[in-house]
Amino acid sequence: MRAHQRPLFWQPAAHWTAVALLSAVSPALGAQAGADSVIDAVIAKTVGPVAPRQEARALPEGPAEEERTAAVKAPSVRQGMGAGSPVFPEGIEYSVQISRVIQQISNPYRLPDTAGDLRRSDLAVADEVRAAAIIPLLSERTRLLAAAAFGNVDYRDQSRLDYRPHSFKTTLEWRAGDLLQGSVSASDRVRLNRYMATSWPDRDLLKQRAFGADVGLRITESLTLPVVSLSQASTRNEFAFNQQLYNRDDSKVQISGVYMGRDESYVMAGISRVRSRYPDRTPLQIQQLDRAYTDTEYFVNGMWQYSPKTSLEAYAGWRQRRYATLADRSIDFVTADLRAHWDYSVKTAFLVHLWHQPFGNEEDPTILYSTLTGGRLTMRWSPGEKTWLSLNVVRERQRNYRTTAGGANETMSWRFGPRLEWRVHRNILLTLDGWREHVSGAGYPGYGSTVIRAGISFDIDNGSKQAARLHVREECDPPRFLDTLLCR
């Protein structure tokens, strides 16, 4: 905690030190001003009148004061190279966050309504430390992006759910001359499985690892074609039964092209192929669910920054799924994702999100795959410079395709909840939020869950917003869809 208390101590000390220095310097400044006036008078009699001195304009207080402080602390830059990128080591951008969240959960296992008294609520306390940095290396065009998080979650009654989440991700972005650019990345993560009804009364942790690399040929400053990407990912479950069913290895190859427009606008198009394999399934499970499938998708993705207040982002694809042995279950379907952001005013903003995509269902072993079609509306209002209010409403339809030919059912879900954020200090953010979720469907044991949370977050950084965006948080993962400053 000392790291957070230190700025609170030094800021008053610096203030009174500055007052003392100004008091000591003021007489000298007055004497200097008098001497200047005498010199001006002598020059006026011998040479001619002297033009009056221009006084330096004082910046107004408020936001301009923060801009002036940021300009003083801004890292030095090397002119004429890399569009003025920071020079190592002054160019390091970092962000450190320490948070505590206390949450009341009505149904942590997401058990169905028919479970009765087994659906017990519990109180959980989550502590986490996150750090992220952007480090320039050999040149302004080569940099290292790193983020790590370590935490501890304790449940008051259901101690079997206690766990220590962690995540680590590092990416090396490189540039070779003016023609080639690319990146290499690696990540490791441990988190609680969101679908634990199948592991009740035990928990189930997900351990996820991924490695990736890409390289692109820069035809012009705006056009990169082709961009070749390769990646490997693995997901491992802790619960033995889920290990057999859902342990998965993914390998991906993608070829695409990117055109960058003005501001942050861009368009991307290409083809990707992902092979998913389940290495631990038994012969009977392979007979019902198969051991592997391959997704081939042709896609177009883009973002249009219409104005500083309005942006539109869209993704559209045609996916072909081919199973290794269940050839009769192979399908073709459309994937889509649309986001629209509108800043109605300085204080009010709206976000609309629509999607249709395949979904890796891990709730029922008789489901081969599922699709999700839904929409989200977020309304944000800032009554003051340090306070934010938001409301999220999510409506979603999940269509489950079962292992038996022609077997399918649908479920409908609602998720909604408010969030309050208050930055009481530059380095301290208080949050209060909650959400209600309810899922129901014909022939489906519906369930409901309510979560109420209160949290505090301490931030230490050097004014970099880019580094803060590298933080990995479980609450920011879909399909939870929280609207919070911590996920930006």
Side-chain angles (χ1 to χ4, degrees), residues 37-48:
S37 61
V38 173
I39 293 173
D40 290 344
V42 173
I43 294 176
K45 291 181 178 181
T46 58
V47 180

Side-chain angles (χ1 to χ4, degrees), residues 175 177-181 216-221 223-225:
R175 179 81 65 85
D178 294 330
L179 290 179
L180 296 177
Q181 69 178 14
L217 179 62
R218 303 178 69 248
I219 305 299
T220 67
E221 288 292 331
L223 178 62
T224 304
L225 179 71

Side-chain angles (χ1 to χ4, degrees), residues 30-211:
Q32 180 66 34
D36 290 342
S37 61
V38 173
I39 293 173
D40 290 344
V42 173
I43 294 176
K45 291 181 178 181
T46 58
V47 180
V50 180
R53 285 186 174 87
Q54 293 184 356
E55 298 182 356
R57 292 182 301 170
L59 292 176
E61 297 181 356
E65 180 67 24
E66 298 181 359
E67 296 177 3
R68 179 168 54 186
T69 303
V72 173
K73 296 182 178 180
S76 59
V77 297
R78 183 179 303 166
Q79 299 298 329
M81 297 184 65
S85 299
V87 178
F88 181 85
E90 292 85 356
I92 295 179
E93 305 175 38
Y94 66 86
S95 174
V96 179
Q97 295 181 347
I98 302 176
S99 65
R100 161 162 284 200
V101 177
I102 302 175
Q103 50 188 343
Q104 181 72 28
I105 311 173
S106 67
N107 186 10
Y109 282 95
R110 298 180 65 179
L111 295 173
D113 297 337
T114 55
D117 295 338
L118 299 178
R119 301 169 66 253
R120 295 181 299 174
S121 62
D122 205 347
L123 183 71
V125 179
D127 298 308
E128 195 164 19
V129 178
R130 309 177 189 91
I134 301 176
I135 307 171
L137 297 177
L138 301 178
S139 70
E140 293 83 355
R141 298 177 176 181
T142 301
R143 61 180 188 168
L144 181 67
L145 289 68
F150 301 91
N152 184 71
V153 181
D154 289 325
Y155 285 77
R156 181 181 59 185
D157 298 326
Q158 304 180 66
S159 58
R160 294 181 180 181
L161 290 177
D162 294 350
Y163 72 106
R164 291 188 173 94
H166 78 257
S167 64
F168 173 78
K169 183 175 182 180
T170 180
T171 302
L172 174 64
E173 296 180 347
W174 57 269
R175 179 81 65 85
D178 294 330
L179 290 179
L180 296 177
Q181 69 178 14
S183 66
V184 180
S185 64
S187 64
D188 184 273
R189 187 178 185 186
V190 172
R191 62 183 179 89
L192 199 65
N193 190 355
R194 185 167 178 258
Y195 304 98
M196 292 184 297
T198 55
S199 64
W200 182 89
D202 296 319
R203 71 177 186 187
D204 186 24
L205 291 181
L206 293 180
K207 301 179 180 180
Q208 300 169 312
R209 290 184 177 180
F211 304 91

Side-chain angles (χ1 to χ4, degrees), residues 28 52 119 123 257 285 368 388 425 444 486:
R119 301 169 66 253
L123 183 71
Q285 293 170 345
L368 185 63
W388 299 268
H425 184 269
Y444 179 84
L486 299 178

Side-chain angles (χ1 to χ4, degrees), residues 190-470:
V190 172
R191 62 183 179 89
L192 199 65
N193 190 355
R194 185 167 178 258
Y195 304 98
M196 292 184 297
T198 55
S199 64
W200 182 89
D202 296 319
R203 71 177 186 187
D204 186 24
L205 291 181
L206 293 180
K207 301 179 180 180
Q208 300 169 312
R209 290 184 177 180
F211 304 91
D214 65 80
V215 60
L217 179 62
R218 303 178 69 248
I219 305 299
T220 67
E221 288 292 331
S222 301
L223 178 62
T224 304
L225 179 71
V227 180
V228 180
S229 305
L230 305 174
S231 65
Q232 294 280 344
S234 66
T235 301
R236 295 294 182 265
N237 295 71
E238 180 188 41
F239 189 62
F241 181 71
N242 288 344
Q243 287 179 0
Q244 291 184 347
L245 281 173
Y246 304 121
N247 280 358
R248 189 176 79 250
D249 295 322
D250 299 319
S251 59
K252 180 178 180 179
V253 179
Q254 178 175 299
I255 301 176
S256 61
V258 183
Y259 180 81
M260 302 296 300
R262 293 184 305 174
D263 300 326
E264 297 181 359
S265 301
Y266 72 91
V267 61
M268 172 189 292
I271 178 175
S272 67
R273 174 165 292 183
V274 181
R275 178 172 175 79
S276 299
R277 187 175 63 90
Y278 297 86
D280 298 325
R281 284 182 176 175
T282 65
L284 179 59
Q285 293 170 345
I286 292 176
Q287 183 179 356
Q288 296 177 340
L289 300 171
D290 214 326
R291 65 173 181 271
Y293 61 83
T294 301
D295 281 347
T296 302
E297 184 167 16
Y298 304 88
F299 66 89
V300 177
N301 184 23
M303 200 265 291
W304 181 32
Q305 190 75 34
Y306 175 73
S307 70
K309 295 184 177 182
T310 307
S311 64
L312 182 66
E313 186 174 0
Y315 179 96
W318 175 257
R319 184 172 301 188
Q320 301 171 339
R321 174 165 295 186
R322 301 295 180 259
Y323 286 90
T325 58
L326 303 179
D328 59 323
R329 305 309 304 275
S330 297
I331 61 167
D332 299 340
F333 50 86
V334 174
T335 60
D337 194 286
L338 178 65
R339 300 170 187 259
H341 183 88
W342 179 36
D343 289 329
Y344 173 75
S345 66
V346 177
K347 295 185 177 182
T348 308
F350 297 91
L351 173 66
V352 178
H353 185 193
L354 305 174
W355 62 89
H356 175 75
Q357 57 194 7
F359 172 57
N361 193 301
E362 298 182 359
E363 294 179 283
D364 190 341
T366 66
I367 295 177
L368 185 63
Y369 67 92
S370 300
T371 58
L372 286 177
T373 305
R376 166 195 174 202
L377 174 63
T378 298
M379 296 161 284
R380 302 189 77 247
W381 178 55
S382 177
E385 294 182 356
K386 299 182 179 181
T387 308
W388 299 268
L389 292 169
S390 63
L391 176 65
N392 285 270
V393 180
V394 179
R395 179 64 164 170
E396 199 167 44
R397 182 188 70 180
Q398 176 176 314
R399 184 168 179 83
N400 305 313
Y401 297 84
R402 300 192 174 275
T403 54
T404 57
N409 70 311
E410 291 184 358
T411 62
M412 303 296 295
S413 64
W414 279 101
R415 287 192 300 275
F416 58 91
R419 183 176 182 90
L420 168 65
E421 293 169 300
W422 178 30
R423 188 164 289 282
V424 297
H425 184 269
R426 178 183 179 275
N427 303 105
I428 303 176
L429 179 67
L430 299 180
T431 60
L432 177 64
D433 69 347
W435 63 86
R436 171 66 180 172
E437 178 179 21
H438 188 265
V439 180
S440 62
Y444 179 84
Y447 66 87
S449 178
T450 303
V451 177
I452 300 176
R453 310 188 316 170
I456 181 171
S457 175
F458 298 89
D459 307 328
I460 304 174
D461 57 46
N462 59 347
S464 169
K465 300 302 182 183
Q466 296 295 329
R469 293 190 179 100
L470 298 178

